[in-house]
Amino acid sequence: MDMMSKILRHLREGFRNVLRNGWMTFASVSAVTVTLAVLGLTLILAMNAQQMSKYVTNQVQVQAYMHPNASEQAGEQLAQKLRSMPDIASVQVISKEAGMNEMKQEFGQYQDILEQYKSSPLPVQLVIKAKDPSKTLQVANEVRHMPDIDTVRDGKSYIKSLFRTVSVLRTIGIVFVIALLVTSMFLISNTIRMTIFSRRREIEIMKLVGAANWFIRWPFIVEGMLIGVFGAVVPLVILGYGYHVVYDRIHDIPLILSINLVSSGALIAKLAVVLLGIGILLGVWGGVMSVRKFLRV
Amino acid sequence: MIEMQDVWKEYPNGTSALNGISVHIQKGEFVYVVGPSGAGKSTFIKLMYREVRPTKGHIFVNGFNIERLKDRKIPLLRRSIGVVFQDFKLLPKLTAAENVAFALEVIGLSQRQIRRRVEDVLTQVGLEDKMNMLPSQLSGGEQQRVAVARSLANNPAVIIADEPTGNLDPDTSWGIMRLFQRINDRGTTIVMATHNRDIVNSLRRRVIAIEQGIIVRDEQKGLYGYDE
Ligand SMILES: Nc1ncnc2c1ncn2[C@@H]1O[C@H](COP(=O)(O)OP(=O)(O)OP(=O)(O)O)[C@@H](O)[C@H]1O
Ligand SMILES: [Mg+2]
């Protein structure tokens, strides 16, 4: 038999195995489906969280407040000096009045409260952006020691808590997914074990007439592979389509949350590769485990 | 061709089936293995295609050293031997032709070769009219002939048969024996365990008698030698 007919035979037999144990196969396909759905969901969240944190990190600026009695002129001079530093991309000076106006806008209908101030009580403020977002903290520390600078806000705690939340979510996702992966692998391996059991007479005869060991094993590995593929298709379609719909609806609503969504095409492509890849790996692994354990050839 | 040197077999449950067997069977020989039930005939035969492994001793079959044989090489040994099993080992859901074809398919023959061989061997055993029947639709003797046909299909150098006439009426038994004789005339070695005294006494060949796991008699053109 040439290579091609051998491959075709193993595929045919693999399909037959899948059909033979209808309910067990259904159970393990469902397990794979659930596993991959959770994995896919985690992946979608992680990809978007990563994109978002990249965006947020990029937006982080150093806010430096000068001493209350430092003049606007001093602010401009300091800004000039800062602009010449290699790590700094831009420096914006916000005058006392501009700061006041900004605050009034933020207060909106309550801005009357601010009327009591004759002149702005706010210090001159410098808004500094680092060229490389990861250098933001370093820049903040340098600025902190400059003359006339009172306080510096570097957004550190904000970024840290964001990253912490993302990483906790990711860890929970990973732990959950691993537990599910192990469960599905176990179910797949058990399903294949049932097939091996129901085909034991055939296997015995194959062995006795001299079928090669791998010739006997392949159909069961194909069976695992098929369970993995079938289990990947449903979550892929649901998550892919669902994401597409959600993305279409909200991606142009001007919110930080939505404008930073990973585009649906890119995400679905990645999702397909990961889910099918892991589905197949899972199935093949289950197949190999069971032929190793239950198929003494 | 087949060589055993001081072979012992003790099954895991402690039963001693063979207790020091030495034998040499040459290419083209026709050998009957006789002896009472439980004497060790099937064990003797199963050692040859490594269905069971010896506890002690050396076995060589068709140039394969059974003790040293790697798992990967066992299929090659088995392809060089055609076995007729005492319990036939036919698949109930496959027809006679499919059963024979199955054995050829799983050792990698092409569909064309398979079709030709299947028809050829089933005709040789006289089942050309019943090729498409399931084992359940065949009599015991016919099933046995399917098993014989399957053992011949791959043109093995040795045919090993465990009571191939066990369930057959005298006429059919003789049909099978004539077939074995014809195959033997072409140079194929035949080893068959049997309880059939008529056949052993009329078609005189080498007789190896086993009792309680040892060879008690080994004669050219021997007789059955047991009263039943
Ligand atoms: N798998 C096994 N496990 C344990 N003991 C076994 C096994 N197979 C055979 N025996 C024992 O080994 C001895 C020899 O058995 P074997 O089947 O070789 O006899 P036999 O000569 O073929 O008998 P028969 O003519 O009835 O077929 C017997 O005592 C039997 O009970
Ligand atoms: Mg026996």
Side-chain angles (χ1 to χ4, degrees):
Chain A
M1 229 189 293
D2 56 84
M3 200 63 181
M4 201 56 214
S5 21
K6 257 185 206 165
I7 291 174
L8 284 176
R9 182 187 186 276
H10 295 322
L11 284 176
R12 192 184 70 217
E13 292 298 311
F15 262 103
R16 226 187 252 176
N17 285 352
V18 165
L19 294 179
R20 187 175 288 221
N21 285 315
W23 284 108
M24 274 301 283
T25 304
F26 181 75
S28 32
V29 168
S30 312
V32 176
T33 300
V34 170
T35 307
L36 294 183
V38 174
L39 175 73
L41 215 54
T42 310
L43 202 70
I44 289 177
L45 292 179
M47 278 172 77
N48 279 303
Q50 194 185 9
Q51 176 119 335
M52 206 122 17
S53 66
K54 204 153 71 188
Y55 172 81
V56 170
T57 317
N58 267 320
Q59 296 302 305
V60 169
Q61 301 160 336
V62 178
Q63 285 176 308
Y65 298 94
M66 303 191 68
H67 288 298
N69 47 12
S71 69
E72 206 160 305
Q73 210 175 355
E76 282 296 350
Q77 271 167 15
L78 185 54
Q80 209 56 44
K81 193 172 143 200
L82 289 172
R83 284 192 189 106
S84 64
M85 285 170 60
D87 286 339
I88 291 175
S90 67
V91 183
Q92 195 193 347
V93 182
I94 297 173
S95 66
K96 295 182 175 194
E97 280 65 40
M100 191 65 172
N101 286 336
E102 221 170 75
M103 193 180 266
K104 277 183 179 162
Q105 290 212 327
E106 274 171 37
F107 275 49
Q109 59 183 113
Y110 305 109
Q111 56 178 270
D112 290 355
I113 302 169
L114 299 173
E115 290 300 316
Q116 56 171 306
Y117 295 104
K118 298 283 177 291
S119 62
S120 170
L122 298 172
V124 175
Q125 188 187 341
L126 300 182
V127 177
I128 306 156
K129 260 191 101 165
K131 279 190 182 135
D132 178 352
S134 67
K135 294 248 172 79
T136 303
L137 284 181
Q138 195 187 318
V139 168
N141 284 334
E142 278 170 35
V143 174
R144 192 165 283 132
H145 302 296
M146 302 220 156
D148 288 340
I149 293 293
D150 186 10
T151 49
V152 171
R153 279 202 294 186
D154 54 21
K156 185 164 79 179
S157 58
Y158 174 54
I159 300 178
K160 268 200 175 151
S161 73
L162 179 78
F163 279 149
R164 198 172 306 127
T165 314
V166 169
S167 97
V168 165
L169 282 179
R170 194 158 38 200
T171 309
I172 292 174
I174 289 172
V175 168
F176 207 49
V177 165
I178 287 177
L180 283 168
L181 282 174
V182 171
T183 312
S184 325
M185 207 281 299
F186 209 71
L187 264 165
I188 293 177
S189 152
N190 252 309
T191 306
I192 295 172
R193 173 195 178 174
M194 297 268 292
T195 326
I196 290 174
F197 183 76
S198 71
R199 302 193 75 159
R200 65 193 179 284
R201 284 183 58 92
E202 265 168 87
I203 294 167
E204 185 199 359
I205 293 170
M206 282 163 91
K207 286 189 211 168
L208 289 175
V209 300
N213 297 342
W214 276 103
F215 191 93
I216 300 177
R217 290 182 187 129
W218 266 116
F220 299 104
I221 292 171
V222 169
E223 180 184 355
M225 208 156 78
L226 288 173
I227 292 175
V229 171
F230 292 155
V233 168
V234 175
L236 186 57
V237 169
I238 292 178
L239 289 178
Y241 183 73
Y243 189 78
H244 180 73
V245 169
V246 170
Y247 179 80
D248 253 17
R249 286 197 153 186
I250 67 170
H251 85 278
D252 45 23
I253 298 173
L255 286 172
I256 296 181
L257 179 78
S258 45
I259 54 172
N260 281 294
L261 287 179
V262 179
S263 82
S264 64
L267 184 131
I268 291 170
K270 243 185 208 168
L271 205 62
V273 170
V274 172
L275 294 194
L276 281 171
I278 292 195
I280 289 173
L281 268 177
L282 196 63
V284 168
W285 185 25
V288 170
M289 292 286 285
S290 43
V291 295
R292 267 237 194 110
K293 244 167 128 182
F294 308 114
L295 197 70
R296 294 259 79 104
V297 287
Chain B
M1 175 110 297
I2 297 172
E3 169 97 32
M4 293 198 187
Q5 296 167 2
D6 192 30
V7 171
W8 296 67
K9 175 64 191 177
E10 184 180 315
Y11 282 106
N13 67 0
T15 312
S16 296
L18 296 177
N19 307 303
I21 295 257
S22 296
V23 74
H24 182 83
I25 297 171
Q26 275 171 346
K27 184 170 162 43
E29 271 197 273
F30 192 130
V31 181
Y32 295 117
V33 181
V34 302
S37 184
K41 303 183 293 297
S42 293
T43 306
F44 175 72
I45 273 177
K46 285 175 184 167
L47 285 168
M48 295 178 188
Y49 56 92
R50 236 211 75 166
E51 185 177 341
V52 305
R53 306 183 67 160
T55 320
K56 206 181 123 199
H58 310 292
I59 306 177
F60 302 89
V61 178
N62 295 340
F64 293 93
N65 180 346
I66 303 271
E67 305 166 77
R68 297 258 183 83
L69 199 59
K70 294 209 175 67
D71 282 0
R72 193 156 45 76
K73 293 280 166 74
I74 294 172
L76 297 181
L77 164 75
R78 292 182 178 163
R79 286 175 203 188
S80 74
I81 303 172
V83 184
V84 184
F85 303 97
Q86 195 163 7
D87 56 355
F88 316 156
K89 296 201 194 296
L90 298 177
L91 290 168
K93 287 189 183 149
L94 300 187
T95 65
E98 286 165 348
N99 262 290
V100 178
F102 179 76
L104 295 174
E105 192 188 326
V106 302
I107 61 172
L109 265 63
S110 75
Q111 288 304 320
R112 264 223 346 253
Q113 292 167 296
I114 292 175
R115 223 170 300 131
R116 228 190 33 234
R117 286 305 293 156
V118 168
E119 248 192 66
D120 182 17
V121 292
L122 282 171
T123 310
Q124 285 188 48
V125 297
L127 284 178
E128 60 273 31
D129 299 333
K130 304 198 166 163
M131 299 217 293
N132 297 320
M133 291 198 180
L134 294 172
S136 58
Q137 299 166 318
L138 298 171
S139 72
E142 286 165 341
Q143 289 176 37
Q144 197 139 24
R145 282 190 274 162
V146 177
V148 172
R150 184 181 58 194
S151 76
L152 304 177
N154 191 32
N155 283 320
V158 183
I159 296 222
I160 294 175
D162 204 345
E163 299 190 33
T165 60
N167 297 281
L168 304 185
D169 61 76
D171 276 357
T172 323
S173 298
W174 275 109
I176 295 286
M177 290 315 296
R178 274 193 298 276
L179 177 60
F180 276 172
Q181 214 184 329
R182 229 172 34 240
I183 299 161
N184 180 239
D185 289 343
R186 293 199 306 241
T188 306
T189 311
I190 297 198
V191 179
M192 71 178 260
T194 184
H195 285 292
N196 195 320
R197 101 187 259 117
D198 289 343
I199 286 178
V200 177
N201 288 344
S202 346
L203 182 63
R204 301 280 291 272
R205 291 289 190 266
R206 180 174 172 187
V207 173
I208 295 175
I210 299 179
E211 282 176 33
Q212 293 183 343
I214 50 175
I215 295 183
V216 293
R217 184 158 56 93
D218 185 351
E219 301 171 329
Q220 297 298 329
K221 295 195 185 291
L223 288 167
Y224 185 68
Y226 294 96
D227 301 317
E228 291 200 353

